[in-house]
Amino acid sequence: MTDCNKRPCGETATALPETSGGAPPQEGFPLPDTLILSEILRRLELESLCSLACVSRALRSLVTQALSTLPSLDLSAFSPNGELLHRIVPRLRGAKSVTIDCLHLDDCSVVSVLGPHIQELNLLKCASLSYDVLASIGEKCPNLRILVLELAGESSPAIFRRNLIKMLKKFLYLEVKCFHTACLFSATIFTKLSLAVNLANPSLLQHLSIKVRGTEGDAYDLACIDVVLPKTLRFLKLQPVNEQDAILFVEKLGYEREIPSKLVNSSINSSLGFSGFALQRLSLVLNLISDRLVASIMGSLPLLVELDLEDRPCTEPKLPHDLTNIGLQFLGSFQHLTHLSIVRSRQNYPVSFKRINDLGLLLLCESCRALESVRLGGFSKVTDAGFSSLLRSCYNLKKFEIRNAPLLSDLAFHNIVGVVSPLVELKLNSCNLITSEAVAELASSSTLEVLDTYSCRSIADNCLVYISFLSTLTSLNLGGADITDSGLSVLSKSDLPITNLCLRGCTRVTDRGIICLLNSGVRIKKTLSSLDVGHMPGISDRAIHAIISSGEAITELCMRYCFHVTDNSLKTLASGRYTGSSLLQKLDICHCLRFSDGVVELLERPLFRGLRWLGVGGTSLTKRADVSGICRMRPWLTICFEGCELGCHDGWQYHKYNDGN
């Protein structure tokens, strides 16, 4: 058995003879410890440092010193349990920035992390934390400047309010505050949160974000919001909020802005140079977007740089509670606006902006020529003329996204290159008239990095010919396209640095296409790190074996609803014997029905080295009681039974874990 205390091969340099006049080499490493710490170990991530500590005692000692000097701790790439957290945190008592995925953690585990040295705290996916943790943060982190919380609310609003006020009263230097909650009682939370902020040190608060997750009907039952937010606020996000309450709230902000300067705190005036609100970024998710709402925002917040509005109606909107061309014309008054997003979601009801046509976008284009990012969804009456005018009028446009636009066609992109600002991101989702010819107009682009045509079902194989000329493309989403194996053969011959590829729902693609793409790919097999082949009936074990054997950089793989994938693929994935330089970190096998009960053995050590997240919803694994034991044995691994997408970024609030999982 190899003695772990022996020096690694890299230490053999210490056996070299002494140079004349030089000091004899020290036992251990030929380089000074200070140099190793400052130039080598400080560049490594936490996981690499932990692995390095297992090599020898000398390295373990150096790693311990390196951990104590790390300025930040980031555990967001996986979901640690309490035991693992207790082993890591005591070694990083000097970290000023702490980010933790709390999916598997309870209050006690999180409280053990807190301390006065922390200036930035990000607690994500807190599915099992109670509101008592708020008071603990205030007690133990008085020097906090940045706070991000994602909570899943279940208990009384009064408990939330009481603990929140306790926390905010303790803060001394709070500058930036992101507050994300997942709960069902947004009315009380929103009102009392804003009041509580004023109890703290409002002169430094710049960023406030409230994200409410839960039943939409409950969330919209908001009372009148009559609060005064800190004048230093720069970013505000509310989700969700009722249209009428949002109007009253925004008008209240306008009233505060118009307060005479002599009535405003003189210290704030002198340090920040304004009397009243200077909100620059506003994001609202509402039940309805209306002309009156936009007019209120225009009149109260003229300094906006970013405006993000999304509504989720439950019925067909009726005037005056709807957005029309007049509402878009109001947006022309924002002289500093660079980012605009207006989306009507079909989440609750199949609706669209039926009172906006080309004239509305033409009026918008006349005044908002400085836009750098545009995101529009649900503009069902706007044609190529309206979208084209927006593309050609904004001289600095970098990001352009259109969703659910049934009248948008290839003509909007005719002669686009050289006429409009060089696009970096183009996303066209659920635009059924878009074909490969729209992409042909972009073939000569030297700046496009992201291309997303998800659910544009008229995209065909010849589109991939044009895509192959986009030399800067790193992310490609062809979900739902009418492409075949021949198209992927063309893509394999290109020299594109694609790192993210989505083929979800491309039902005409088979094993042959995937094999050709990765086996014959010149560059893609070396750069591709994330691949989605879900909802593809033509995919079987052959394709998965090709992905494993040829994808040298694959770290994320989604193959949900691939009904012909069997245990053989999972065995190959588990062994890792065909993987390249990277280890698989996230794997989605939801609703792969041909897996047997025996695959649970593949989750035991040492198989699936490096795996951090596994989605097994709808498979035989959801019925196995012994899976919980595997979760406790592998604290770095999260197994999701709920059918979430990769990483549980949406739906985590419904997860409840015990005993570390």
Side-chain angles (χ1 to χ4, degrees):
M1 180 178 297
T2 303
D3 186 358
C4 65
N5 295 327
K6 291 183 178 180
R7 293 178 307 213
C9 296
E11 300 175 22
T12 55
T14 57
L16 293 175
E18 302 178 23
T19 56
S20 58
Q26 299 179 359
E27 178 68 21
F29 293 94
L31 297 176
D33 290 352
T34 54
L35 185 61
I36 296 175
L37 285 170
S38 61
E39 298 299 329
I40 300 177
L41 297 188
R42 74 177 183 86
R43 303 175 187 273
L44 300 180
E45 298 177 351
L46 176 64
E47 189 173 347
S48 299
L49 287 172
C50 292
S51 300
L52 194 62
C54 301
V55 175
S56 69
R57 288 182 177 177
L59 277 175
R60 186 181 308 165
S61 175
L62 290 175
V63 167
T64 300
Q65 296 180 56
L67 290 175
S68 65
T69 60
L70 281 181
S72 63
L73 168 65
D74 189 347
L75 299 179
S76 60
F78 67 102
S79 304
N81 63 10
E83 181 181 357
L84 182 61
L85 197 65
H86 291 156
R87 292 182 180 180
I88 296 177
V89 171
R91 304 174 185 271
L92 293 104
R93 285 303 182 186
K96 295 182 179 180
S97 174
V98 176
T99 302
I100 303 176
D101 185 324
C102 301
L103 195 62
H104 296 175
L105 301 177
D106 56 17
D107 288 17
C108 294
S109 299
V110 171
V111 170
S112 68
V113 177
L114 306 178
H117 59 282
I118 299 178
Q119 296 182 9
E120 176 180 354
L121 179 62
N122 304 280
L123 301 180
L124 312 177
K125 304 178 187 174
C126 304
S128 301
L129 296 189
S130 72
Y131 293 143
D132 294 336
V133 75
L134 297 173
S136 299
I137 292 174
E139 288 288 341
K140 295 180 174 293
C141 304
N143 301 313
L144 204 60
R145 297 174 181 268
I146 300 174
L147 175 61
V148 177
L149 295 175
E150 291 182 350
L151 299 175
E154 289 185 349
S155 55
S156 166
I159 299 176
F160 175 87
R161 179 172 66 252
R162 182 174 64 250
N163 285 282
L164 180 65
I165 293 176
K166 286 182 181 179
M167 177 183 70
L168 293 175
K169 283 183 177 180
K170 297 292 183 179
F171 290 153
L172 301 176
Y173 306 106
L174 187 63
E175 293 179 351
V176 183
K177 184 175 186 300
C178 294
F179 203 94
H180 299 265
T181 63
C183 45
L184 303 181
F185 33 84
S186 56
T188 305
I189 286 179
F190 174 70
T191 305
K192 300 303 179 181
L193 172 62
S194 300
L195 290 172
V197 169
N198 285 319
L199 297 174
N201 188 353
S203 62
L204 294 176
L205 186 65
Q206 295 181 353
H207 186 134
L208 176 62
S209 174
I210 303 176
K211 191 172 184 180
V212 181
R213 295 187 180 186
T215 305
E216 297 292 332
D218 294 338
Y220 290 143
D221 292 335
L222 297 177
C224 177
I225 302 171
D226 185 16
V227 296
V228 179
L229 289 175
K231 300 296 187 297
T232 54
L233 202 63
R234 292 292 186 272
F235 174 55
L236 177 64
K237 181 174 183 179
L238 307 177
Q239 176 181 345
V241 62
N242 181 276
E243 174 220 2
Q244 294 297 317
D245 294 336
I247 291 173
L248 293 174
F249 176 68
V250 169
E251 290 177 350
K252 176 69 174 178
L253 298 184
Y255 169 76
E256 294 296 331
R257 185 177 61 86
E258 294 170 1
I259 294 177
S261 58
K262 63 182 180 180
L263 299 180
V264 182
N265 189 307
S266 59
S267 63
I268 299 178
N269 257 337
S270 58
S271 62
L272 298 174
F274 68 90
S275 59
F277 272 95
L279 200 67
Q280 295 178 356
R281 301 169 59 194
L282 178 65
S283 177
L284 301 175
V285 176
L286 310 107
N287 59 333
L288 285 172
I289 300 174
S290 65
D291 290 345
R292 185 186 170 193
L293 173 67
V294 176
S296 299
I297 295 173
M298 174 201 68
S300 301
L301 305 170
L303 300 180
L304 280 184
V305 176
E306 298 182 17
L307 178 60
D308 183 351
L309 301 177
E310 178 181 344
D311 67 0
R312 300 170 181 175
C314 295
T315 60
E316 189 68 42
K318 298 180 181 179
L319 290 175
H321 303 291
D322 199 7
L323 185 64
T324 68
N325 291 337
I326 297 175
L328 289 187
Q329 188 175 10
F330 289 148
L331 294 174
S333 300
F334 291 109
Q335 300 179 3
H336 308 284
L337 200 64
T338 59
H339 295 73
L340 176 64
S341 175
I342 301 178
V343 174
R344 174 152 288 175
S345 172
R346 299 166 62 91
Q347 176 177 311
N348 299 326
Y349 194 77
V351 289
S352 62
F353 291 113
K354 295 180 180 178
R355 295 178 174 89
I356 296 178
N357 53 31
D358 292 339
L359 177 61
L361 288 195
L362 290 172
L363 294 173
L364 177 64
C365 296
E366 288 298 319
S367 305
C368 297
R369 297 180 181 272
L371 287 174
E372 299 176 10
S373 174
V374 174
R375 180 171 173 257
L376 303 176
F379 286 70
S380 60
K381 300 296 183 181
V382 178
T383 69
D384 294 329
F387 291 120
S388 179
S389 63
L390 194 59
L391 273 169
R392 298 169 190 273
S393 299
C394 301
Y395 56 85
N396 201 28
L397 193 63
K398 298 293 188 298
K399 300 179 181 180
F400 190 65
E401 179 177 352
I402 304 295
R403 295 183 180 183
N404 299 314
L407 301 182
L408 175 64
S409 73
D410 303 335
L411 292 176
F413 301 92
H414 183 63
N415 291 331
I416 188 176
V417 176
V419 178
V420 303
S421 174
L423 288 174
V424 177
E425 292 187 14
L426 177 62
K427 297 182 179 181
L428 307 173
N429 297 160
S430 300
C431 301
N432 293 330
L433 295 183
I434 291 293
T435 72
S436 304
E437 296 305 313
V439 181
E441 297 291 340
L442 299 164
S444 60
S445 172
S446 60
T447 59
L448 195 65
E449 297 177 5
V450 177
L451 178 61
D452 185 344
T453 61
Y454 186 79
S455 199
C456 293
R457 304 191 181 281
S458 297
I459 296 292
D461 284 342
N462 55 338
C463 176
L464 292 166
V465 176
Y466 307 129
I467 289 175
S468 63
F469 292 104
L470 299 172
S471 59
T472 56
L473 195 67
T474 59
S475 179
L476 177 61
N477 189 340
L478 296 172
D482 190 34
I483 60 174
T484 67
D485 297 340
S486 299
L488 291 187
S489 176
V490 173
L491 187 63
S492 69
K493 297 180 175 64
S494 65
D495 189 28
L496 305 183
I498 295 178
T499 58
N500 298 280
L501 176 62
C502 176
L503 301 174
R504 177 178 293 195
C506 295
T507 56
R508 298 182 65 189
V509 173
T510 67
D511 292 340
R512 178 183 175 186
I514 300 298
I515 293 172
C516 180
L517 175 67
L518 292 173
N519 286 352
S520 305
V522 177
R523 188 176 182 183
I524 191 170
K525 65 181 180 181
K526 297 180 179 180
T527 61
L528 189 63
S529 62
S530 178
L531 177 61
D532 189 338
V533 292
H535 297 265
M536 297 173 64
I539 297 300
S540 69
D541 291 338
R542 293 183 59 217
I544 302 303
H545 280 257
I547 294 170
I548 300 167
S549 60
S550 301
E552 300 178 10
I554 294 289
T555 58
E556 298 182 2
L557 176 61
C558 173
M559 53 183 186
R560 58 169 51 201
Y561 287 96
C562 289
F563 301 123
H564 300 294
V565 175
T566 68
D567 293 5
N568 291 330
S569 292
L570 207 59
K571 289 178 181 178
T572 308
L573 285 166
S575 65
R577 62 179 181 272
Y578 291 122
T579 55
S581 57
S582 300
L583 291 174
L584 196 63
Q585 297 178 6
K586 295 180 180 179
L587 175 63
D588 187 350
I589 58 173
C590 291
H591 299 282
C592 292
L593 302 179
R594 295 193 63 183
F595 289 139
S596 67
D597 293 342
V599 297
V600 69
E601 300 175 358
L602 300 176
L603 302 180
E604 298 177 356
R605 292 175 176 174
L607 302 175
F608 274 118
R609 294 181 303 112
L611 193 64
R612 299 290 174 261
W613 186 91
L614 177 64
V616 299
T619 67
S620 58
L621 289 174
T622 59
K623 303 176 182 179
R624 295 297 300 267
D626 45 357
V627 174
S628 59
I630 293 175
C631 295
R632 289 191 294 270
M633 182 178 62
R634 308 187 71 163
W636 297 78
L637 175 62
T638 295
I639 301 180
C640 174
F641 301 93
E642 282 76 11
C644 298
E645 296 286 349
L646 281 173
C648 294
H649 294 296
D650 191 16
W652 57 265
Q653 66 269 31
Y654 304 115
H655 292 226
K656 295 299 176 186
Y657 291 89
N658 296 304
D659 299 325
N661 197 58

